[in-house]
Amino acid sequence: MTNALLFWKPILYPSRHRAITLSRVLFSLSQLNPRATTPAATRRMSSSSAFGSTQRIFQLKLNPLTGNSEWVVIEEENESAEFGKQQPLLATTSYLDMLNDTPRNKAFRQAIEKAITKPCHVLDIGAGTGLLSMMAARAMSFGDSEESSGMNGMVTACESYLPMVKLARKVLRANGMERKMHIINKRSDELEIGLDIPSRADVLVSEILDSELLGEGLIPTLQHAHEKLLVENPQTVPYRATTYGQLVECNYLWELHDLVNREAKASDGIHLVPSGTDTVLCIKRQQYAMHCDAIKEEIKLLSEPFKIFDFDFWKRPDSFRETELHVKATNDGTIHAIISWWLLQLDSEGTIFYSTGPKWIGSTSDVEKIGSSLPRADDWCDHWKQTVWFTPDAGLSVCKDKEVHLNAFHTETRISYEVKTSSQNKDADHLDSCSQDHHIFLSPERIAIYGDNSWRCSMLKAIERAMQQKLHPLCLIADDSLFLTIAVARLGKASRVISLFPGLQNKGAKYLQAVAAANGYSMDCIEVTKKGNLQLTLNDSYQRKVDLLIAEPFYHGNDSMLPWEYLRFWKERTSLDSFLSEDVLVMPCKGILRACAMYLPDLWQSRCCLKEIEGFDHMVVNTTLGACGDLPVGEESPCLPFFVWKCGKTKKLSNIITIMEFDFLKPICPCSGKAQVLYLRHFQYASNCISF
């Protein structure tokens, strides 16, 4: 395996260590300005001069150090520009992992070659790099012929995301197929017969599926295609998708959503979800994509797999359906969640399949025929996972051989459930029990943190120690921490508490009002300012300077951040410097960047440089998609967030080392650090990442 260095950040959650992938050992805070891309938001402008043509892409990006979204101009030379000048614009997307998914690529190739045996009109919706379009063109024997023409032989590729359109054109040129198909930079529901394409298509090839199946708009896309773009009774690849589920008990999954019962066991007297307000602070009632194989040792199966819905691609789908299932329990236990996945049938005969099922699924009477399509030990990917639907509160008790009544529903974009045993009433809130505007939704990981008694105790002890050093201090909460705000207000020793709530904003203020009585504080001592930290003045604090500056740090909506992006707290502490007293106490007072060499072959394989995919050269996409290894001289892999425990096979190759420390008591300043990694001698693996 090729050597490379990736980097990870350790994040402690209840009962498990997790981490985040990065890619540089040295960095300077004077140049610190990493941004997370929002791919959906782009604008394009072209200009020309005597010196040539330039393409400009305006892309909306999030600056995690300020929390602001901003348009940035990405200047890209024209289509004939040298490849080496590209930037990893699409590194945060799942394109690279998807293109490295060999079973997926092989299944689509086999199905396309089986469906297309003569010249026809093929429509590819969501074309990406054009892989499926090239497969279709080759199946019509376009690969060695001149430019296709006529309605009896053409491929129309539809892709709405401009940077991907530009990349697809480069892939087509690299394979000598730029004249074999027509690429349109539009959404499929914007296409018009006679304007964009000459007539309806005979064959649809498309892969617009997420882990839940419907989240990328599969149903409305198919509805519009059948109504406006396809002939009657078209051929489609895929042909059908079937969703499956399984009832499970798992304490880890319970911790991710049941803040009510976990908080009841805490002894600190803080009530984030007081009695009667269970949904004021909760996760969204939806399916969450998750690598369930990573927690299989903690999962107790309570049923056999059961079929939920079939979705046929070859006909117009319904927007909404409901089905009632009767599932026999195979064990005694508590249903904490429903784990779901889907099985893709790519051909009409039912011989080519692809499954996102967990590895514990063996051959059963329903799936014997698709044996080889089930995940194997070496089939790990990150772009498609299983999904988890959490049952309400502490779960539902079930006895072996008893029936569980399950109602499943789907809309155009999601699947949801309601569960009851034969002795229980229906859970009537399947479509968002906490959908009121003033309620706050948090990620499952954040709910798990807020329910962790040891974390709560450590935070409270730190606050109490800090407040003992000050008499009636003015306290400023610099992030979105609801727990810290309530804790400081409840202790009653602060003369006033100012919360910035940069992400929660007014919702945070409404929440604090809703839980004030249960936590024994008055809103008279708390102010949630509508001003940013740069707009604060002494008038906002009654001419007093801040004595205690506190943060976790936690910024609502930015849950998958690189380690240095959490230094937003340091940047904001610096911007508040004139607002702080000379002897201000800062919590946290220091940040430490640590690292560990890791062997992660599954993650590496999903991020490695592309060469040929089913016979088509894709080397041209490596830099733009942020590939790892075998890159041109001078190019580095991007810094990307991943949870280490979800990354398949892992092996620790070194002890933990400290790279650098950050002193939050002082304003932000340029700094750098380096450390020598000593590999453990008894491991014989090539290192492909370092874990923070």
Side-chain angles (χ1 to χ4, degrees):
M1 180 173 293
T2 306
N3 286 325
L5 293 180
L6 299 173
F7 300 89
W8 306 76
K9 164 196 172 179
I11 306 177
L12 295 180
Y13 290 89
S15 76
R16 194 177 304 277
H17 295 271
R18 297 167 172 80
I20 291 188
T21 311
L22 313 172
S23 113
R24 290 184 185 84
V25 151
L26 301 177
F27 60 94
S28 169
L29 292 182
S30 61
Q31 301 174 344
L32 190 61
N33 194 25
R35 294 181 175 94
T37 304
T38 306
T42 58
R43 298 291 185 272
R44 176 184 180 184
M45 181 175 72
S46 300
S47 63
S48 60
S49 67
F51 300 100
S53 174
T54 310
Q55 296 290 333
R56 291 176 180 168
I57 300 172
F58 293 80
Q59 185 136 16
L60 187 63
K61 294 187 176 181
L62 172 70
N63 184 337
L65 293 184
T66 64
N68 297 325
S69 294
E70 55 194 48
W71 289 99
V72 296
V73 180
I74 301 170
E75 298 229 14
E76 185 178 3
E77 295 196 6
N78 60 25
E79 302 279 19
S80 61
E82 182 183 353
F83 166 68
K85 295 184 179 181
Q86 290 182 338
Q87 298 297 321
L89 305 179
L90 307 178
T92 58
T93 67
S94 61
Y95 288 114
L96 182 63
D97 178 73
M98 184 167 55
L99 291 169
N100 268 312
D101 186 350
T102 300
R104 165 197 176 270
N105 301 334
K106 180 181 178 181
F108 270 93
R109 175 185 59 78
Q110 291 175 335
I112 288 173
E113 290 176 350
K114 191 173 181 180
I116 302 173
T117 57
K118 60 183 179 180
C120 58
H121 183 193
V122 179
L123 174 63
D124 180 2
I125 295 179
T129 64
L131 177 61
L132 303 188
S133 293
M134 291 189 293
M135 290 177 178
R138 184 173 62 186
M140 287 187 281
S141 302
F142 285 174
D144 299 322
S145 66
E146 295 298 321
E147 181 176 357
S148 61
S149 61
M151 280 310 304
N152 289 326
M154 68 176 297
V155 177
T156 301
C158 170
E159 173 57 54
S160 64
Y161 185 37
L162 176 61
M164 184 53 66
V165 172
K166 297 172 72 65
L167 193 60
R169 287 174 179 152
K170 294 177 181 178
V171 173
L172 297 181
R173 272 201 306 274
N175 289 277
M177 302 190 74
E178 65 268 34
R179 295 190 302 168
K180 314 304 179 186
M181 60 198 68
H182 180 41
I183 301 180
I184 303 175
N185 181 205
K186 286 185 177 181
R187 290 166 51 97
S188 65
D189 58 9
E190 297 173 336
L191 297 181
E192 296 183 28
I193 300 295
L195 179 63
D196 300 297
I197 56 178
S199 68
R200 291 174 177 259
D202 306 296
V203 180
L204 172 67
V205 297
S206 182
E207 192 274 86
I208 48 173
L209 314 174
D210 67 351
S211 295
E212 188 179 5
L213 188 70
L214 306 181
E216 292 188 7
L218 174 65
I219 288 180
T221 299
L222 288 177
Q223 289 175 337
H224 178 268
H226 281 283
E227 291 170 359
K228 303 292 186 180
L229 305 176
L230 301 176
V231 299
E232 188 176 354
N233 299 319
Q235 293 191 72
T236 64
V237 178
Y239 181 79
R240 173 181 292 127
T242 302
T243 58
Y244 289 86
Q246 195 164 21
L247 307 179
V248 301
E249 175 182 288
C250 178
N251 283 334
Y252 171 67
L253 295 179
W254 168 68
E255 291 173 354
L256 290 175
H257 81 282
D258 188 6
L259 180 57
V260 175
N261 289 286
R262 294 190 72 209
E263 186 172 67
K265 299 179 180 180
S267 56
D268 51 39
I270 291 180
H271 304 286
L272 295 176
V273 281
S275 177
T277 62
D278 295 1
T279 60
V280 72
L281 193 65
C282 61
I283 63 171
K284 285 187 177 181
R285 296 296 302 278
Q286 65 181 42
Q287 296 198 83
Y288 289 87
M290 190 176 299
H291 285 288
C292 293
D293 285 313
I295 56 172
K296 62 182 178 182
E297 299 302 322
E298 302 176 42
I299 289 176
K300 179 180 180 181
L301 302 178
L302 299 181
S303 76
E304 294 292 338
F306 50 86
K307 182 186 293 188
I308 303 170
F309 288 114
D310 281 322
F311 296 90
D312 291 320
F313 289 62
W314 55 271
K315 64 181 181 180
R316 186 188 186 280
D318 295 324
S319 295
F320 176 86
R321 281 186 295 167
E322 176 180 351
T323 185
E324 183 175 355
L325 303 171
H326 300 276
V327 182
K328 184 179 179 180
T330 57
N331 277 304
D332 296 338
T334 301
I335 304 172
H336 290 139
I338 301 170
I339 292 178
S340 301
W341 62 92
W342 45 259
L343 176 67
L344 204 60
Q345 177 185 328
L346 287 100
D347 64 328
S348 58
E349 293 81 7
T351 63
I352 305 171
F353 292 88
Y354 182 99
S355 171
T356 63
K359 292 183 175 64
W360 66 71
I361 302 299
S363 294
T364 67
S365 58
D366 287 335
V367 295
E368 280 180 358
K369 59 183 179 181
I370 54 116
S372 62
S373 75
L374 292 172
R376 301 186 303 271
D378 57 347
D379 289 343
W380 184 93
C381 67
D382 196 54
H383 63 100
W384 286 327
K385 314 173 185 69
Q386 297 78 50
T387 58
V388 174
W389 171 273
F390 299 105
T391 57
D393 304 325
L396 302 171
S397 297
V398 66
C399 297
K400 183 178 179 179
D401 295 330
K402 295 294 184 181
E403 265 194 355
V404 176
H405 296 262
L406 174 66
N407 284 355
F409 310 80
H410 81 73
T411 63
E412 290 187 346
T413 57
R414 56 176 292 190
I415 299 173
S416 56
Y417 307 94
E418 58 183 29
V419 186
K420 64 175 182 176
T421 63
S422 56
S423 61
Q424 289 175 311
N425 294 322
K426 182 182 290 187
D427 165 26
D429 59 352
H430 66 275
L431 286 179
D432 269 335
S433 64
C434 48
S435 59
Q436 292 88 342
D437 291 339
H438 66 280
H439 290 182
I440 295 175
F441 299 120
L442 298 178
S443 69
E445 289 80 8
R446 177 56 43 178
I447 290 292
I449 288 176
Y450 279 166
D452 180 31
N453 189 54
S454 61
W455 181 87
R456 293 163 68 114
C457 288
S458 63
M459 284 291 179
L460 285 173
K461 288 179 181 178
I463 293 172
E464 289 172 350
R465 284 197 300 267
M467 296 189 72
Q468 286 173 0
Q469 302 177 49
K470 297 287 185 178
L471 182 63
H472 303 301
L474 172 62
C475 180
L476 178 64
I477 310 296
D479 64 351
D480 286 306
S481 179
L482 299 168
F483 182 86
L484 292 181
T485 303
I486 292 174
V488 172
R490 186 177 179 279
L491 287 173
K493 297 179 181 179
S495 60
R496 192 163 190 80
V497 181
I498 300 176
S499 291
L500 294 182
F501 285 167
L504 293 173
Q505 299 181 343
N506 193 47
K507 279 192 174 183
K510 291 181 177 179
Y511 167 82
L512 292 178
Q513 178 69 58
V515 302
N519 287 282
Y521 64 81
S522 169
M523 286 300 291
D524 292 339
C525 70
I526 298 180
E527 179 181 350
V528 178
T529 179
K530 295 182 180 179
K531 297 182 179 180
N533 53 4
L534 295 178
Q535 287 77 42
L536 287 177
T537 67
L538 290 178
N539 290 331
D540 298 303
S541 60
Y542 302 95
Q543 304 303 313
R544 289 188 56 185
K545 290 194 172 185
V546 172
D547 303 297
L548 186 57
L549 179 65
I550 300 179
E552 296 184 24
F554 159 62
Y555 298 99
H556 188 252
N558 296 322
D559 296 306
S560 295
M561 299 174 68
L562 302 175
W564 43 74
E565 294 176 358
Y566 283 94
L567 296 178
R568 171 179 173 178
F569 170 67
W570 198 7
K571 186 178 189 304
E572 294 189 341
R573 174 256 178 270
T574 302
S575 66
L576 289 165
D577 197 52
S578 62
F579 198 60
L580 306 179
S581 63
E582 292 184 2
D583 59 345
V584 63
L585 294 177
V586 180
M587 190 185 94
C589 62
K590 181 168 65 174
I592 303 173
L593 189 65
R594 294 192 173 112
C596 175
M598 297 287 294
Y599 174 68
L600 300 170
D602 292 329
L603 178 61
W604 175 264
Q605 181 60 40
S606 76
R607 300 296 310 178
C608 68
C609 280
L610 298 167
K611 294 182 181 179
E612 277 199 356
I613 303 176
E614 299 300 322
F616 297 106
D617 183 1
H618 270 67
M619 293 179 64
V620 71
V621 310
N622 285 325
T623 298
T624 304
L625 298 186
C628 301
D630 299 327
L631 292 173
V633 176
E635 293 186 10
E636 296 182 358
S637 302
C639 307
L640 301 171
F642 289 96
F643 291 110
V644 171
W645 69 277
K646 297 181 180 180
C647 291
K649 297 176 184 176
T650 65
K651 185 71 72 172
K652 181 180 175 182
L653 300 183
S654 76
N655 292 321
I656 295 175
I657 58 173
T658 296
I659 304 294
M660 67 176 76
E661 297 185 358
F662 314 102
D663 186 359
F664 298 155
L665 299 178
K666 301 176 181 178
I668 196 170
C669 61
C671 59
S672 63
K674 62 181 179 180
Q676 185 177 20
V677 179
L678 299 177
Y679 290 87
L680 302 176
R681 283 179 291 180
H682 59 280
F683 289 129
Q684 301 298 318
Y685 300 97
S687 169
N688 54 10
C689 83
I690 285 186
S691 155
F692 278 144

